[in-house]
Amino acid sequence: MKYLATLIVGILFIANISIAQNTDEVSRLAEPVETGENYKVYGSEFAENTQFFAPGYLVRNSNIFKGQKVATKGVIKQVCQKKGCFFMLSAGEENIRVTFKDYNFFIPTDAAGSQVQLTGVFKVKELTEEQAKHYAEDAGEDPDDVEMTEKEYTIVANSVKIFDL
């Protein structure tokens, strides 16, 4: 009986350590790499003298920019409410889904409405209805309200600069 009690305490101790490590990892990923007077940078440091293209311009010229490293800026329309693992950037009639390179960082879940600048690789991909519903659920929307689109415009960002958080 004494052996069983010791074994249970040991298992609980190890489980507690594992949970604490996972929590520390997530909070570390959400930490900014740079903080200024009115902005925070997530991912890698933001390059100076960056040439920006409007999000709508990227979408309208997707055949030119597909697979290219780009920089853009705008307003964060919506953020994944589970952990900030993506956000939506308005591009006129379309949206650009911004994810993060190698899933190495997140942004605050309350960043919707903030001005943002970002750099990353622009992509165009086919989106299944299942993926669209999953994304809607992560964003805190009703997946049954999703209207299917054929293409999804994305940027896999390596640096995100959010103003006035």
Side-chain angles (χ1 to χ4, degrees):
M1 185 68 166
K2 188 175 186 178
Y3 174 76
L4 182 60
T6 304
L7 181 63
I8 291 172
V9 168
I11 290 171
L12 291 173
F13 179 74
I14 291 171
N16 192 26
I17 289 173
S18 295
I19 291 169
Q21 287 176 341
N22 288 340
T23 301
D24 289 342
E25 184 178 10
V26 170
S27 64
R28 180 180 56 81
L29 291 175
E31 294 299 317
V33 295
E34 180 184 342
T35 301
E37 188 174 313
N38 66 338
Y39 68 87
K40 290 183 181 174
V41 176
Y42 296 86
S44 60
E45 291 184 14
F46 206 85
E48 296 296 321
N49 302 322
T50 301
Q51 178 185 0
F52 295 99
F53 294 97
Y57 184 79
L58 294 173
V59 168
R60 285 190 306 278
N61 295 285
S62 61
N63 57 332
I64 296 170
F65 290 105
K66 185 167 58 172
Q68 301 297 313
K69 187 169 182 177
V70 298
T72 191
K73 57 185 173 179
V75 176
I76 297 174
K77 183 175 179 179
Q78 187 178 40
V79 179
C80 170
Q81 292 302 293
K82 288 192 176 182
K83 54 185 160 182
C85 60
F86 72 86
F87 67 88
M88 301 303 286
L89 186 65
S90 180
E93 296 289 317
E94 301 287 339
N95 290 310
I96 297 175
R97 178 179 305 280
V98 179
T99 59
F100 310 113
K101 186 173 185 210
D102 298 327
Y103 208 58
N104 278 337
F105 64 97
F106 303 127
I107 66 165
T109 57
D110 64 350
S114 298
Q115 291 285 330
V116 65
Q117 296 177 348
L118 62 109
T119 60
V121 177
F122 184 78
K123 297 182 178 188
V124 180
K125 66 179 189 176
E126 299 298 318
L127 186 64
T128 67
E129 186 174 351
E130 182 181 328
Q131 288 171 316
K133 288 183 181 289
H134 172 78
Y135 290 154
E137 188 175 352
D138 282 355
E141 296 177 350
D142 184 355
D144 294 331
D145 292 341
V146 170
E147 291 183 23
M148 189 60 213
T149 58
E150 295 178 18
K151 291 182 183 178
E152 180 181 52
Y153 302 97
T154 66
I155 295 176
V156 180
N158 61 327
S159 184
V160 176
K161 187 178 204 177
I162 303 174
F163 293 87
D164 297 321
L165 271 179

